[in-house]
Amino acid sequence: MKLTHIRVPVILIGALLLIGLIGVYAYLCTYVYLEPSLPTLAQMHNVQLKVPLRIYTVDGRLIAQIGTEQRTPVRYEQVPPMVREAFLAAEDHRFFHEGGINLISILRAGVVDLIEGRKAQGGSTITMEAARNVFLTLNKTYRRKLQESFIAYELDHYFSKQDVFQLYLNVIFFGERAYGVAAAAQTYYGKTLDELTLPEAATLAGIVQAPSLYNPVVHPHLAADRRSYVLTQMLDQGYITATQAQAADRAPIDARLHAPRVNVHAPYVAAMVRQQMLQRYGPAAETAGYKVYTTIDGRLQSAANRAVQLGLIAYDRRHGWRGPIGRTVLARGATQAQLHTLTEQYGPIGVLIPAVVVGVGQHSAEIYARDRGFGKIGWAGLSWAAKALAQGLVGPAPKTAADVLSRGDVVYVVWHDPQNVLLAQVPQAEAAMVALDADDGAIAALVGGFDYYISKYNRAVDAQRQPGSGFKPFYYSAALERGFTPASTFLNAPLVIGGAGTESTWRPANDTGQFGGPVRLRVALAHSLNLVSIRLMRALGIPYVSQYVKRFGFNPQALPQNLTLALGTLETNPLQMAAGYAVFANGGYSISPFLIERILDSRDAVIWQAKPLIACHGCSQEASPAQLTATPVLGAAPAQGDALHIGGAQYMPSGQLAPRVISADNDYIMTSMMRSVIEFGTGVRALSMNRTDIAGKTGTTNNWKDAWFNGFTPQLVASVWAGFDDDRTLGSGEEGAHVALPIWMRFMRQALDGVPQWRRPEPPGIVQLRISPRTGLLVSDENPDGIEEIFMANHLPSGRGALAQRPNPNQASAESIF
């Protein structure tokens, strides 16, 4: 009897040992079978999370982050204790005290799965969750569960608990493309981790069990129930007090979706950088955690955005009111929440904010503006709104506010303050702007259109438009090189080119339709006289001009080989024009625009650094003009290697001195002539800036299809274009001086705020002489009608004047321009 009692435990123990041995053997066999599919220890130590591409201004302000997964990796110590405790309470409060595999939970989950006939229970620890999210798929299979266990064991054995928890907090999915707790805080609350409140932290911790079910934006009531569970667990674990739990549980679920916290709005820049990074690194550009620091100056970019938008709105107002964007029946006594709902379907567009009209007076209207509240549109903000008619015509000016608006109209407004709101509409015309550092070509600001989210077409680099008279300074510089001077005179008289009576006959005219006698080149450039400029082009010769303007980055093969070139009939874009004008701004050096200053990898190591060509003033050794052929040329095809490409241009990180392409004397005179554009010419509007160090040139093409202003100081150059994408006219009289110049001025006022005026010193090769303003001939110092003019010392005027020195510019030409 006693022997029987002894044998039973022995048999039982033996059976259990046998089962255990079989289990261990099966486990080892399973490990051997699955081992090739498991990550190595080295791979575990070098986990590469999918981190979006981040793009910054030159001073580190965020422009954009681009990638399918929004993730901001954080270190363990960067996560506030309250946030850590919320996740521990919700998911695995034993994490710091037990192993990475909870066998009891796994067995319990297995039993439930067998009973329910499906894989319903997870039974995972935080370590296993980290293993699955980093190294495995999310498919619910027994094979994956075994893989997960093996990986969790390795993680638990070779890594600290803090390291595993850090990994977990960076990889878990929260829905809405947010991966990791930092991205979740930004996505749902627009906050950093240290800004989260207890209710917010508990809400986020509750999401991870079922992101679609507990999404606080989509299912706020379910998210609130889940938050209550998390708070209860935090209370049970002693992380919070009962008072804190109760207060947090009463807090409303106020989550809403937030875009990444962008500091500087520059979407056209972001798209350009993304394209360059994809060309350079392939798809990994958007997932490998690269950080790109651009040359963009955040302050100047914001100024450029506002200048382009307000400039287009001002142009648009001159062409009539096209009506509200929507209408609604407004209930009497509508609440602010109801009014807000009415505007929700209309998003803000740049400076334009959607608003609903709640009342109309005699000469004013009361509105409710989204995210601003109630405001008033006075008569100054309404009186412009004459009805837009067909073919660009405008109806009679309104006499009362009711002629324009009605209660319930949904409109766009420009909001300055509650008492200063302006009625506006989305412009149909477009504009683009580029601002460069004149000395090295760094792009300080770039705007490709009124609003990127309306049109992603980047007109600053991709559009091909005629520059009109903005091209004239480039061949006026060629004229100085050929011996002409600012005092050289040409007839401003009607001109017929081509055979008389033939279809190819061309009768060019000045924009004003007026003409006259001899005019000095300084005056001709200032007033943009086409008849003089065509005669100058003919005197220089088209082949010479085509080769000469290569110094400013233009491709001779892309230029029209006829006299229309004098009127700027080539195709170009604002980036190329800004690069060309930078030669005048920096004293005569050819620079290459560049946008990317440096690239960092996910570990913040610099893997690429720009080394731009630099205009070196006063250097003892300058690059030779002959080196121009080796410098980057705008319009070159993208190439492989270390070059970055912007707008189809190749920028090599050479680090060399920029080549001088025009002499200091030529540059000084040309800058002086372009200051005359502002002092008494087509750019006279800019005199209101009260600066003597600005210069530039307007440009307008045939039938007012393109409006330009290209201008600069010695440090900064900016080019502005405006027009319609479909090449229709801007309207009679809408010239560069009226459309583009105000945009340039608004930008430059902000850009130069606090910047002392400075003009480049006069080079030693410049001579100042007294001339007759009528003939351009030298006069004595005693002549009361004489004026001062500057000349190159090796190109002094003779007493006979330009007309006598050159072939008769009025002579008929058989040269066809077609």
Side-chain angles (χ1 to χ4, degrees):
M1 192 73 177
K2 290 181 181 180
L3 187 60
T4 303
H5 283 299
I6 294 172
R7 285 176 181 167
V8 171
V10 170
I11 294 171
L12 181 60
I13 291 171
L16 291 173
L17 286 173
L18 180 62
I19 292 171
L21 289 172
I22 293 173
V24 169
Y25 179 75
Y27 185 85
L28 290 174
C29 289
T30 303
Y31 178 82
V32 171
Y33 173 71
L34 293 177
E35 194 270 340
S37 68
L38 302 179
T40 65
L41 189 59
Q43 289 173 325
M44 292 184 188
H45 275 287
N46 294 282
V47 172
Q48 296 294 324
L49 300 179
K50 288 186 177 181
V51 179
L53 168 67
R54 288 186 171 87
I55 302 168
Y56 299 92
T57 63
V58 70
D59 57 346
R61 300 168 67 190
L62 183 65
I63 291 175
Q65 64 177 38
I66 301 171
T68 56
E69 296 183 8
Q70 299 301 319
R71 179 185 279 112
T72 303
V74 290
R75 297 189 302 276
Y76 176 84
E77 59 271 17
Q78 292 177 305
V79 182
M82 176 188 68
V83 177
R84 297 199 297 258
E85 290 162 357
F87 282 88
L88 289 170
E91 295 297 309
D92 185 5
H93 67 268
R94 301 185 186 90
F95 172 73
F96 280 100
H97 309 293
E98 294 185 355
I101 303 173
N102 190 328
L103 292 176
I104 294 176
S105 295
I106 293 174
L107 290 172
R108 182 178 64 246
V111 171
V112 173
D113 288 350
L114 289 172
I115 293 173
E116 296 193 7
R118 61 188 181 92
K119 301 175 184 66
Q121 288 283 312
S124 295
T125 64
I126 280 178
T127 307
M128 294 171 72
E129 289 281 348
R132 179 171 69 247
N133 279 276
V134 177
F135 301 108
L136 302 171
T137 69
L138 299 182
N139 297 328
K140 290 185 176 182
T141 64
Y142 294 114
R143 174 189 172 93
R144 193 219 67 193
K145 200 68 177 178
L146 288 167
Q147 290 173 312
E148 185 180 304
S149 300
F150 293 139
I151 297 170
Y153 174 82
E154 297 285 332
L155 288 174
D156 196 51
H157 189 71
Y158 292 106
F159 295 85
S160 70
K161 287 289 188 180
Q162 288 79 5
D163 288 340
V164 174
F165 195 42
Q166 171 182 300
L167 181 63
Y168 167 79
L169 289 176
N170 281 314
V171 298
I172 47 176
F173 179 53
F174 287 84
E176 305 295 348
R177 296 173 56 213
Y179 290 79
V181 64
Q186 168 60 41
T187 298
Y188 290 107
Y189 295 107
K191 294 182 176 182
T192 56
L193 290 176
D194 59 349
E195 296 172 332
L196 291 174
T197 64
L198 174 58
E200 292 166 346
T203 301
L204 293 181
I207 293 174
V208 296
Q209 186 182 75
S212 59
L213 187 64
Y214 297 124
N215 184 318
V217 176
V218 180
H219 303 296
H221 297 299
L222 294 176
D225 292 341
R226 179 65 179 167
R227 182 184 66 183
S228 295
Y229 167 78
V230 175
L231 291 169
T232 300
Q233 292 297 108
M234 293 182 75
L235 177 62
D236 290 346
Q237 297 305 316
Y239 296 145
I240 57 176
T241 65
T243 302
Q244 288 176 311
Q246 292 168 4
D249 201 32
R250 288 195 298 268
I253 295 289
D254 57 355
R256 61 184 180 88
L257 297 182
H258 295 74
R261 189 180 293 181
V262 170
N263 303 120
V264 175
H265 185 71
Y268 290 101
V269 170
M272 291 170 66
V273 171
R274 174 182 177 271
Q275 186 61 35
Q276 301 311 312
M277 291 295 289
L278 286 172
Q279 289 178 2
R280 192 175 182 85
Y281 299 109
E286 296 183 353
T287 61
Y290 292 112
K291 299 182 181 72
V292 178
Y293 286 83
T294 68
T295 57
I296 295 296
D297 181 307
R299 184 179 71 88
L300 298 190
Q301 181 64 41
S302 297
N305 291 340
R306 189 169 179 82
V308 167
Q309 290 171 0
L310 292 179
L312 282 173
I313 290 170
Y315 161 80
D316 192 73
R317 289 174 64 159
R318 297 196 290 271
H319 296 271
W321 170 242
R322 296 184 294 276
I325 57 175
R327 286 190 173 92
T328 184
V329 177
L330 203 57
R332 187 176 297 277
T335 65
Q336 188 164 329
Q338 291 171 326
L339 294 173
H340 182 83
T341 301
L342 292 174
T343 64
E344 279 188 330
Q345 64 177 301
Y346 305 99
I349 301 175
V351 298
L352 300 179
I353 300 170
V356 59
V357 179
V358 297
V360 179
Q362 181 71 12
H363 289 109
S364 65
E366 298 295 324
I367 56 100
Y368 174 84
R370 178 177 172 178
D371 298 328
R372 292 292 194 281
F374 292 99
K376 178 181 179 180
I377 306 177
W379 190 238
L382 274 173
S383 57
W384 65 269
K387 186 177 180 180
L389 304 176
Q391 270 130 44
L393 301 176
V394 178
K399 296 180 180 178
T400 68
D403 294 337
V404 181
L405 297 174
S406 301
R407 177 179 162 83
D409 284 350
V410 182
V411 298
Y412 278 113
V413 298
V414 176
W415 180 284
H416 294 295
D417 60 62
Q419 295 301 312
N420 184 14
V421 183
L422 307 178
L423 178 67
Q425 57 193 352
V426 179
Q428 294 180 336
E430 283 289 356
M433 179 180 190
V434 175
L436 302 178
D437 183 315
D439 282 337
D440 64 3
I443 299 176
L446 184 145
V447 181
F450 181 80
D451 186 85
Y452 178 81
Y453 302 102
I454 292 178
S455 170
K456 294 178 172 58
Y457 182 50
N458 189 344
R459 298 155 190 85
V461 297
D462 295 329
Q464 291 297 305
R465 308 293 298 219
Q466 293 184 5
S469 295
F471 184 70
K472 289 176 180 175
F474 302 120
Y475 66 84
Y476 272 59
S477 170
L480 297 182
E481 203 68 21
R482 273 290 180 93
F484 290 99
T485 76
S488 298
T489 56
F490 283 81
L491 284 177
N492 182 31
L495 187 63
V496 178
I497 300 176
T502 68
E503 291 184 1
S504 62
T505 299
W506 181 40
R507 293 178 173 83
N510 294 322
D511 289 339
T512 62
Q514 299 175 346
F515 53 88
V519 176
R520 289 176 290 122
L521 286 184
R522 178 181 290 274
V523 176
L525 185 64
H527 291 292
S528 203
L529 301 179
N530 292 337
L531 295 171
V532 170
S533 298
I534 292 169
R535 286 183 165 92
L536 176 62
M537 174 72 75
R538 188 167 62 180
L540 293 170
I542 293 170
Y544 172 71
V545 170
S546 297
Q547 290 301 312
Y548 186 88
V549 298
K550 186 165 69 171
R551 307 176 187 216
F552 301 95
F554 295 99
N555 181 358
Q557 282 70 46
L559 303 179
Q561 296 300 299
N562 54 62
L563 287 177
T564 64
L565 181 61
L567 305 187
T569 55
L570 68 155
E571 292 186 333
T572 185
N573 57 54
L575 179 63
Q576 185 169 24
M577 291 297 287
Y581 274 80
V583 175
F584 297 124
N586 66 30
Y589 299 88
S590 175
I591 53 85
S592 296
F594 68 104
L595 181 59
I596 296 178
E597 193 272 330
R598 66 187 186 278
I599 302 171
L600 279 62
D601 64 15
S602 60
R603 293 177 174 80
D604 289 339
V606 176
I607 58 175
W608 190 90
Q609 178 79 51
K611 297 177 182 177
L613 299 171
I614 299 173
C616 188
H617 306 288
C619 290
S620 58
Q621 186 176 13
E622 291 185 344
S624 165
Q627 290 179 281
L628 180 60
T629 55
T631 63
V633 178
L634 288 163
Q640 300 297 317
D642 289 333
L644 291 178
H645 307 278
I646 301 175
Q650 179 178 337
Y651 307 111
M652 297 296 297
S654 61
Q656 298 175 355
L657 298 181
R660 176 176 284 286
V661 292
I662 63 173
S663 69
D665 298 345
N666 186 308
D667 177 78
Y668 186 82
I669 294 176
M670 283 306 307
T671 300
S672 169
M673 292 174 72
M674 283 187 277
R675 277 201 299 270
S676 294
V677 172
I678 292 171
E679 290 166 356
F680 60 81
T682 56
V684 71
R685 185 188 298 246
L687 276 179
S688 64
M689 294 178 64
N690 296 315
R691 296 189 70 104
T692 62
D693 59 346
I694 55 177
K697 183 69 186 75
T698 55
T700 309
T701 59
N702 191 39
N703 201 28
W704 305 283
K705 291 182 179 179
D706 303 273
W708 292 80
F709 189 78
N710 309 282
F712 56 91
T713 68
Q715 300 89 9
L716 184 67
V717 56
S719 289
V720 177
W721 166 87
F724 285 97
D725 289 338
D726 60 6
D727 211 30
R728 60 183 142 128
T729 177
L730 286 163
S732 178
E734 295 288 8
E735 301 170 331
H738 300 301
V739 184
L741 178 56
I743 296 174
W744 185 90
M745 289 170 57
R746 185 184 292 274
F747 168 76
M748 277 296 199
R749 277 197 181 100
Q750 287 190 257
L752 300 177
D753 185 30
V755 178
Q757 297 196 44
W758 182 75
R759 286 163 61 161
R760 207 168 295 287
E762 183 179 289
I766 294 296
V767 176
Q768 195 169 85
L769 299 172
R770 200 165 178 82
I771 64 165
S772 164
R774 185 178 60 84
T775 66
L777 300 177
L778 296 175
V779 297
S780 66
D781 292 342
E782 292 77 22
N783 190 320
D785 296 327
I787 60 171
E788 298 295 326
E789 185 55 274
I790 55 176
F791 303 90
M792 296 185 193
N794 59 339
H795 291 155
L796 297 178
S798 71
R800 295 182 297 166
L803 281 172
Q805 295 175 49
R806 296 287 173 185
N808 182 1
N810 213 19
Q811 180 179 347
S813 172
E815 178 182 15
S816 172
I817 65 164
F818 297 99

